[in-house]
Amino acid sequence: MEKTEKKSLKKGDLLQLKITNLDTKGRAYGFFDENKIYVNINAAENQVVEGIFVKRRRKYELIHCKIIDFAGRQNVIYDDIARQNGGCNYQYYTYDEQLEIKAGHIKKELDRIIKYDYIFEEPVRSVKPDKYRNKMEFSFGNATKGGPIILGLHKQNSFHDIVEVDGLKLMDDNFNKIYVFCNEFCKKTGFDFYHRLDHIGFFRNLVIRKAEFTKQILVNIVTTTQISEIEKEKFQKEFKEGLLALNLDDDFKIIGILHTFNDNFSDMVISESETILYGERDLTEEIFGLKFKISPYSFFQTNSQTVEKLYGKVLTYLEEIENIKIDEATIFDLFSGTGTIGQIVSKKSKQVYGIELVPEAVEKANENAKLNNIQNAHFIAGDVFAKLDEFDNNGIKPDILILDPPRAGVGEKTITKLVKYNTKNIIYVSCNPKTLMTDLIKFGEFGYRLVRCSVVDMFPVTPHIEVVGLLYKSDFKRIY
């Protein structure tokens, strides 16, 4: 765009903005004169967005946006060039561009806090840039206030508005068939969706999960209890029959259909009670030759084919540790989830202890260990900070720490306790670069250096990325 004379921007101005880049959160922005302005839709470098200018507390923004020049770019998630949904910030970038930008953001943030040499490895690519998700969580709502019920994902930068996502290329053809059926079936029931403000309505969520390597699919419909018993029985019968009549591809089978009831005011998928309409409640997936039972609500990485690359990087870093014999080592697997990492590294180590906050995940972790005939891995439920005291009281100390925290990170209080073990080596698996940087600074105050790290792209098209780092404790402090 040609440079124009500077003028003051006013709320309500119609503005055309050429996109410069995406920030670390995947938000597209451009510059008008010297003003940095964000747009509230997905857009890419050199595209031109038109929208209404507003001033937020800490930033300028365009709302009611549309792309008026796509700059020759393709939409990688839909056949329709203009079609969008929330979370897919990189939908107008090629996969190579996505990986370069996301890895560049991580390197920039690391270089900002680290003032010594470390190894930043080549990014690990997703096995597939599309159709990679083994879990999709949809919401019921409407496209605009007062509109008819639909099933889909949230509109970009909208808490209330839903967009339909048939044909979305993040999910495979089987997921698409199930989604389309459920969307149309639920519309025809005449039941309304759950309205957050007045807490009235029936439909809340649909969750589809699959086990990539065992060809299993689980469908979980989440509703309130706000219908009669007769209506519920009719709905459950027809819903089950319709799903089982679908012709799925690639030998996949629906092995379980679940009806979860949730009258909680929270928007989270919560099970207050549930009915198994068909088959099994759990999926069974295989990774590194191990079997893992996955409950409807347990965390499990959403990219099955790339997860072996992620955990393979953990194994690689474990094998690079030189100051200890791994087969004689005790490893703490903290924030252990369903015990995936702990069981994988148990093959190499003497003993693994895992701590996880979610009791159901811990139950599955121990069940999986038994299923895989692993006798040197044990998992307990509770807060990591509190449960470490129990290990101390029983004289259990780690030789190596593996940390895989949620997006909130490890946190200063827990780090302060962990460093008292004086372990030389820590492997950190992060799903949130922001909290990773905060935690690295805190570990640095106690003499831990980042030796090497790698980004692993588990989530193409989204701004999210995993980072695996190997930390080593040096003999001096405050190295950041």
Side-chain angles (χ1 to χ4, degrees):
M1 298 174 64
E2 294 183 3
K3 188 173 181 180
T4 59
E5 293 184 8
K6 291 185 178 182
K7 67 173 184 177
S8 60
L9 293 171
K10 298 178 182 178
K11 180 180 178 181
D13 282 350
L14 181 66
L15 190 65
Q16 293 182 3
L17 186 72
K18 188 173 184 177
I19 300 302
T20 301
N21 207 337
L22 272 61
D23 68 8
T24 55
K25 294 181 179 179
R27 299 175 300 184
Y29 65 88
F31 290 90
F32 186 85
D33 292 333
E34 296 178 356
N35 298 303
K36 187 176 185 179
I37 304 175
Y38 287 90
V39 299
N40 73 340
I41 61 171
N42 302 328
E45 182 180 359
N46 293 327
Q47 291 182 337
V48 180
V49 175
E50 183 177 82
I52 304 298
F53 175 76
V54 295
K55 294 181 180 180
R56 304 297 189 190
R57 292 183 200 170
R58 298 183 180 179
K59 65 179 181 179
Y60 294 153
E61 187 176 358
L62 295 188
I63 61 174
H64 305 306
C65 293
K66 64 179 179 179
I67 300 174
I68 60 174
D69 182 355
F70 287 91
R73 292 182 173 274
Q74 301 297 311
N75 186 343
V76 300
I77 64 171
Y78 289 113
D79 292 332
D80 181 349
I81 185 68
R83 195 175 177 192
Q84 300 194 2
N85 57 256
C88 297
N89 305 58
Y90 287 82
Q91 70 178 84
Y92 293 110
Y93 285 94
T94 67
Y95 185 58
D96 286 342
E97 287 176 318
Q98 294 174 39
L99 201 59
E100 181 181 359
I101 294 170
K102 292 201 284 187
H105 285 322
I106 301 299
K107 183 68 165 62
K108 181 179 179 180
E109 288 300 303
L110 287 171
D111 289 345
R112 179 178 61 83
I113 66 168
I114 295 177
K115 306 304 178 185
Y116 56 82
D117 292 335
Y118 68 97
I119 298 172
F120 189 81
E121 300 175 356
E122 284 293 314
V124 178
R125 302 171 68 90
S126 176
V127 174
K128 294 192 300 185
D130 59 5
K131 299 183 178 181
Y132 65 85
R133 292 192 64 91
N134 61 30
K135 177 185 177 184
M136 292 293 296
E137 184 177 308
F138 305 101
S139 297
F140 288 94
N142 48 22
T144 56
K145 187 176 181 179
I149 181 175
I150 60 173
L151 174 66
L153 299 176
H154 284 274
K155 183 180 178 181
Q156 183 74 330
N157 294 309
S158 176
F159 181 71
H160 294 285
D161 297 342
I162 301 296
V163 293
E164 293 178 302
V165 294
D166 50 294
L168 175 63
K169 295 177 183 177
L170 295 190
M171 56 183 181
D172 67 18
D173 295 342
N174 290 327
F175 272 35
N176 189 64
K177 288 180 181 180
I178 295 169
Y179 162 77
V180 169
F181 163 77
C182 293
N183 188 21
E184 296 305 315
F185 176 83
C186 293
K187 288 177 184 179
K188 294 175 182 177
T189 64
F191 301 138
D192 201 0
F193 66 91
Y194 177 77
H195 294 259
R196 299 181 183 90
L197 297 182
D198 54 19
H199 312 299
I200 295 174
F202 181 62
F203 290 114
R204 299 195 70 157
N205 302 96
L206 174 75
V207 184
I208 312 173
R209 303 189 78 154
K210 71 173 179 178
E212 184 76 40
F213 298 104
T214 58
K215 307 290 188 180
Q216 299 176 350
I217 294 177
L218 176 69
V219 181
N220 184 7
I221 185 79
V222 184
T223 73
T224 67
T225 59
Q226 297 177 30
I227 59 172
S228 69
E229 189 67 23
I230 293 175
E231 290 174 319
K232 182 183 72 173
E233 291 178 359
K234 180 176 184 294
F235 164 77
Q236 291 177 337
K237 178 177 182 295
E238 293 177 354
F239 184 68
K240 177 186 72 173
E241 290 175 350
L243 283 172
L244 295 178
L246 295 175
N247 293 317
L248 302 184
D249 302 327
D250 197 25
D251 296 324
F252 274 89
K253 303 289 184 185
I254 295 176
I255 59 95
I257 302 173
L258 195 65
H259 187 179
T260 293
F261 298 98
N262 176 20
D263 289 318
N264 194 286
F265 289 169
S266 169
D267 280 331
M268 296 178 62
V269 176
I270 297 172
S271 174
E272 295 184 331
S273 63
E274 60 191 42
T275 300
I276 298 175
L277 306 183
Y278 171 79
E280 304 293 328
R281 183 179 183 271
D282 300 335
L283 297 175
T284 301
E285 185 59 292
E286 293 186 8
I287 299 176
F288 284 111
L290 299 174
K291 294 181 179 180
F292 295 93
K293 281 190 173 293
I294 307 167
S295 76
Y297 317 104
S298 295
F299 170 79
F300 197 81
Q301 290 287 356
T302 58
N303 188 333
S304 298
Q305 293 188 334
T306 308
V307 73
E308 288 197 354
K309 289 189 174 186
L310 176 67
Y311 296 149
K313 187 63 66 174
V314 172
L315 285 175
T316 297
Y317 287 179
L318 189 66
E319 291 167 354
E320 289 181 1
I321 294 174
E322 297 179 347
N323 59 322
I324 190 172
K325 292 182 179 180
I326 303 302
D327 59 356
E328 298 178 1
T330 295
I331 297 176
F332 280 9
D333 174 21
L334 305 183
F335 314 96
S336 54
T338 53
T340 316
I341 293 178
Q343 290 179 65
I344 290 170
V345 301
S346 71
K347 296 179 178 181
K348 305 282 186 179
S349 60
K350 178 182 177 181
Q351 184 69 46
V352 174
Y353 294 97
I355 303 176
E356 166 59 39
L357 183 63
V358 181
E360 185 179 20
V362 173
E363 181 182 341
K364 288 299 174 188
N366 287 313
E367 184 180 337
N368 290 333
K370 185 177 180 180
L371 180 67
N372 292 309
N373 197 29
I374 294 173
Q375 299 178 356
N376 63 331
H378 180 65
F379 302 91
I380 63 173
D383 177 73
V384 168
F385 183 85
K387 289 298 178 179
L388 287 173
D389 287 338
E390 293 185 15
F391 286 165
D392 292 344
N393 294 336
N394 289 305
I396 302 172
K397 307 291 183 184
D399 300 302
I400 298 169
L401 293 170
I402 297 179
L403 312 176
D404 187 9
R407 294 191 61 78
V410 178
E412 180 178 347
K413 185 174 73 169
T414 301
I415 290 174
T416 302
K417 176 169 283 192
L418 291 175
V419 297
K420 294 179 181 179
Y421 290 120
N422 201 33
T423 57
K424 289 289 186 181
N425 303 282
I426 298 174
I427 298 174
Y428 192 128
V429 183
S430 169
C431 62
N432 186 350
K434 182 178 180 180
T435 53
L436 170 65
M437 304 306 157
T438 303
D439 287 347
L440 286 179
I441 291 172
K442 192 63 184 178
F443 275 118
E445 294 177 2
F446 296 95
Y448 285 90
R449 284 179 178 266
L450 180 68
V451 177
R452 63 193 309 123
C453 75
S454 176
V455 297
V456 182
D457 190 19
M458 299 285 291
F459 319 102
V461 188
T462 79
H464 304 297
I465 199 161
E466 297 275 328
V467 183
V468 185
L470 175 61
L471 282 67
Y472 177 75
K473 186 174 184 182
S474 58
D475 295 327
F476 54 93
K477 296 183 179 181
R478 298 197 179 277
I479 55 180
Y480 289 85

Coordinates of all heavy atoms in Angstrom, one line a residue, residues 384-424:
V384 N 1.7 -31.7 42.7 CA 3.1 -32.0 42.6 C 3.8 -31.5 43.9 O 4.6 -32.2 44.5 CB 3.7 -31.5 41.3 CG1 5.3 -31.6 41.4 CG2 3.2 -32.2 40.1
F385 N 3.6 -30.2 44.2 CA 4.3 -29.6 45.3 C 4.1 -30.4 46.6 O 5.0 -30.7 47.4 CB 3.9 -28.1 45.5 CG 4.6 -27.4 46.6 CD1 5.8 -26.8 46.3 CD2 4.0 -27.3 47.8 CE1 6.5 -26.1 47.3 CE2 4.7 -26.6 48.9 CZ 5.9 -26.0 48.6
A386 N 2.8 -30.7 46.9 CA 2.5 -31.4 48.1 C 3.0 -32.8 48.1 O 3.5 -33.3 49.2 CB 1.0 -31.4 48.3
K387 N 2.9 -33.6 47.0 CA 3.3 -35.0 47.0 C 4.8 -35.2 47.0 O 5.2 -36.3 47.4 CB 2.7 -35.6 45.7 CG 1.2 -35.8 45.8 CD 0.7 -36.7 46.9 CE -0.8 -36.9 47.0 NZ -1.2 -37.8 48.1
L388 N 5.5 -34.2 46.7 CA 7.0 -34.3 46.8 C 7.4 -34.5 48.2 O 8.4 -35.2 48.5 CB 7.7 -33.1 46.2 CG 7.7 -33.0 44.7 CD1 8.3 -31.7 44.2 CD2 8.4 -34.2 44.0
D389 N 6.7 -34.0 49.1 CA 7.0 -34.2 50.6 C 6.8 -35.6 51.0 O 7.6 -36.1 51.8 CB 6.0 -33.3 51.4 CG 6.3 -31.8 51.4 OD1 7.5 -31.5 51.0 OD2 5.5 -31.0 51.7
E390 N 5.8 -36.3 50.4 CA 5.7 -37.7 50.7 C 6.9 -38.5 50.2 O 7.3 -39.5 50.9 CB 4.4 -38.3 50.1 CG 3.1 -37.7 50.6 CD 1.9 -38.3 50.0 OE1 2.0 -39.4 49.4 OE2 0.8 -37.7 50.2
F391 N 7.4 -38.2 49.0 CA 8.6 -38.9 48.6 C 9.7 -38.6 49.5 O 10.5 -39.5 49.8 CB 8.9 -38.4 47.2 CG 8.0 -38.9 46.1 CD1 8.0 -38.4 44.8 CD2 7.2 -40.0 46.3 CE1 7.2 -38.9 43.8 CE2 6.4 -40.5 45.3 CZ 6.4 -39.9 44.1
D392 N 9.9 -37.4 49.9 CA 11.0 -37.0 50.9 C 10.9 -37.8 52.1 O 11.9 -38.3 52.7 CB 10.9 -35.5 51.2 CG 11.2 -34.6 50.0 OD1 11.8 -35.2 49.0 OD2 10.9 -33.4 50.0
N393 N 9.7 -37.9 52.7 CA 9.5 -38.7 53.9 C 9.8 -40.1 53.8 O 10.1 -40.8 54.8 CB 8.0 -38.5 54.4 CG 7.7 -37.1 54.8 OD1 8.6 -36.3 55.2 ND2 6.4 -36.7 54.8
N394 N 9.7 -40.7 52.6 CA 10.0 -42.1 52.3 C 11.4 -42.3 51.8 O 11.7 -43.4 51.3 CB 8.9 -42.7 51.4 CG 7.6 -42.8 52.0 OD1 7.4 -43.4 53.0 ND2 6.6 -42.2 51.4
G395 N 12.2 -41.2 51.8 CA 13.5 -41.3 51.3 C 13.7 -41.5 49.8 O 14.7 -42.1 49.4
I396 N 12.7 -41.1 49.0 CA 12.8 -41.3 47.6 C 13.3 -40.0 47.0 O 12.7 -39.0 47.1 CB 11.4 -41.7 47.0 CG1 10.9 -43.0 47.6 CG2 11.5 -41.8 45.5 CD1 9.5 -43.3 47.3
K397 N 14.5 -40.1 46.3 CA 15.1 -38.9 45.7 C 15.3 -39.2 44.2 O 15.6 -40.3 43.8 CB 16.4 -38.6 46.3 CG 16.4 -38.5 47.8 CD 15.7 -37.2 48.3 CE 15.7 -37.1 49.8 NZ 15.0 -35.9 50.2
P398 N 15.2 -38.2 43.3 CA 15.4 -38.4 41.9 C 16.8 -38.2 41.5 O 17.5 -37.4 42.1 CB 14.5 -37.3 41.3 CG 14.6 -36.2 42.3 CD 14.7 -36.8 43.6
D399 N 17.2 -38.9 40.5 CA 18.5 -38.6 39.8 C 18.3 -37.8 38.6 O 19.2 -37.0 38.2 CB 19.1 -40.0 39.3 CG 19.4 -40.9 40.5 OD1 20.2 -40.5 41.4 OD2 18.9 -42.0 40.5
I400 N 17.1 -37.9 38.0 CA 16.7 -37.1 36.8 C 15.3 -36.6 37.0 O 14.4 -37.4 37.4 CB 16.8 -37.9 35.5 CG1 18.3 -38.3 35.3 CG2 16.4 -37.1 34.3 CD1 18.5 -39.4 34.2
L401 N 15.0 -35.4 36.6 CA 13.6 -34.9 36.6 C 13.1 -34.7 35.1 O 13.8 -34.2 34.3 CB 13.6 -33.5 37.3 CG 13.9 -33.4 38.8 CD1 14.0 -32.0 39.2 CD2 12.8 -34.1 39.6
I402 N 11.9 -35.2 34.9 CA 11.2 -34.9 33.6 C 10.0 -34.1 34.0 O 9.1 -34.6 34.8 CB 10.9 -36.2 32.9 CG1 12.1 -37.0 32.5 CG2 10.1 -35.9 31.6 CD1 11.9 -38.3 31.8
L403 N 9.8 -33.0 33.4 CA 8.7 -32.1 33.7 C 7.9 -31.9 32.4 O 8.4 -31.5 31.4 CB 9.2 -30.7 34.2 CG 10.3 -30.7 35.3 CD1 10.8 -29.3 35.6 CD2 9.8 -31.4 36.5
D404 N 6.6 -32.1 32.5 CA 5.7 -31.9 31.4 C 4.4 -31.2 31.9 O 3.3 -31.8 32.0 CB 5.3 -33.3 30.8 CG 4.5 -33.1 29.5 OD1 4.4 -32.0 29.0 OD2 4.0 -34.1 29.0
P405 N 4.6 -29.9 32.3 CA 3.5 -29.2 33.0 C 2.4 -28.8 32.1 O 2.6 -28.7 30.9 CB 4.3 -28.0 33.6 CG 5.4 -27.7 32.7 CD 5.8 -29.1 32.2
P406 N 1.3 -28.4 32.6 CA 0.2 -27.8 31.8 C 0.6 -26.4 31.4 O 1.7 -26.0 31.7 CB -1.0 -27.8 32.8 CG -0.4 -27.8 34.1 CD 0.9 -28.6 34.1
R407 N -0.3 -25.7 30.8 CA 0.1 -24.4 30.3 C 0.5 -23.4 31.3 O 1.2 -22.4 31.1 CB -1.1 -23.8 29.5 CG -1.4 -24.6 28.2 CD -2.4 -23.9 27.3 NE -1.9 -22.6 26.9 CZ -1.1 -22.4 25.9 NH1 -0.6 -23.5 25.2 NH2 -0.7 -21.2 25.5
A408 N 0.1 -23.6 32.6 CA 0.5 -22.7 33.7 C 2.0 -22.8 34.0 O 2.5 -22.0 34.8 CB -0.4 -23.0 34.9
G409 N 2.6 -23.9 33.5 CA 4.0 -24.1 33.8 C 4.3 -24.7 35.2 O 3.3 -25.2 35.9
V410 N 5.6 -24.8 35.6 CA 5.9 -25.5 36.8 C 5.6 -24.6 38.0 O 5.1 -25.0 39.0 CB 7.4 -25.9 36.8 CG1 7.8 -26.5 38.1 CG2 7.7 -26.9 35.7
G411 N 6.1 -23.3 37.9 CA 5.8 -22.3 38.9 C 6.9 -22.2 39.9 O 7.7 -23.1 40.2
E412 N 7.1 -21.0 40.4 CA 8.2 -20.6 41.3 C 8.3 -21.5 42.5 O 9.3 -22.0 42.9 CB 8.1 -19.1 41.7 CG 9.3 -18.7 42.6 CD 9.2 -17.2 42.9 OE1 8.4 -16.5 42.2 OE2 9.9 -16.8 43.8
K413 N 7.1 -21.7 43.2 CA 7.1 -22.5 44.4 C 7.6 -23.9 44.2 O 8.4 -24.4 45.0 CB 5.7 -22.5 45.0 CG 5.5 -23.1 46.4 CD 4.1 -23.0 46.9 CE 3.1 -23.9 46.2 NZ 1.8 -23.9 46.9
T414 N 7.1 -24.6 43.2 CA 7.5 -25.9 42.9 C 9.0 -26.0 42.5 O 9.7 -26.9 42.9 CB 6.6 -26.6 41.9 OG1 5.3 -26.5 42.3 CG2 7.0 -28.0 41.6
I415 N 9.4 -25.1 41.7 CA 10.8 -25.0 41.2 C 11.7 -24.9 42.4 O 12.8 -25.6 42.5 CB 11.1 -23.9 40.2 CG1 10.4 -24.2 38.9 CG2 12.6 -23.6 40.0 CD1 10.4 -23.0 37.9
T416 N 11.4 -24.0 43.4 CA 12.2 -23.8 44.6 C 12.4 -25.1 45.3 O 13.4 -25.4 45.9 CB 11.6 -22.7 45.4 OG1 11.5 -21.5 44.7 CG2 12.4 -22.5 46.7
K417 N 11.3 -25.9 45.3 CA 11.4 -27.2 46.0 C 12.2 -28.2 45.2 O 13.0 -29.0 45.7 CB 10.0 -27.8 46.3 CG 10.0 -29.2 46.9 CD 8.6 -29.6 47.4 CE 8.3 -28.9 48.7 NZ 7.1 -29.5 49.4
L418 N 12.0 -28.2 43.9 CA 12.7 -29.2 43.0 C 14.2 -29.0 43.1 O 15.0 -30.0 43.0 CB 12.2 -29.1 41.6 CG 10.8 -29.5 41.3 CD1 10.4 -29.3 39.9 CD2 10.6 -31.0 41.6
V419 N 14.7 -27.8 43.1 CA 16.1 -27.6 43.0 C 16.9 -28.1 44.3 O 18.1 -28.3 44.2 CB 16.5 -26.1 42.8 CG1 15.9 -25.6 41.5 CG2 15.9 -25.2 43.9
K420 N 16.1 -28.3 45.3 CA 16.7 -28.9 46.6 C 17.2 -30.3 46.4 O 18.0 -30.8 47.1 CB 15.8 -28.8 47.7 CG 15.4 -27.3 48.1 CD 14.4 -27.3 49.3 CE 14.1 -25.8 49.7 NZ 13.1 -25.7 50.8
Y421 N 16.7 -31.0 45.4 CA 17.2 -32.3 45.1 C 18.5 -32.3 44.5 O 19.2 -33.3 44.5 CB 16.2 -33.0 44.1 CG 14.9 -33.4 44.7 CD1 13.7 -32.9 44.1 CD2 14.8 -34.3 45.8 CE1 12.5 -33.2 44.7 CE2 13.5 -34.6 46.3 CZ 12.4 -34.1 45.8 OH 11.2 -34.4 46.3
N422 N 19.0 -31.2 44.0 CA 20.3 -31.0 43.4 C 20.6 -32.0 42.3 O 21.7 -32.4 42.1 CB 21.4 -31.2 44.5 CG 22.7 -30.5 44.1 OD1 22.7 -29.5 43.4 ND2 23.8 -31.1 44.5
T423 N 19.5 -32.3 41.5 CA 19.8 -33.2 40.3 C 20.5 -32.4 39.3 O 20.2 -31.2 39.0 CB 18.4 -33.7 39.8 OG1 17.6 -32.5 39.4 CG2 17.7 -34.5 40.8
K424 N 21.4 -33.0 38.6 CA 22.2 -32.4 37.5 C 21.4 -32.2 36.2 O 21.7 -31.2 35.5 CB 23.4 -33.2 37.2 CG 24.5 -33.1 38.3 CD 25.1 -31.8 38.4 CE 26.3 -31.8 39.4 NZ 26.9 -30.4 39.5

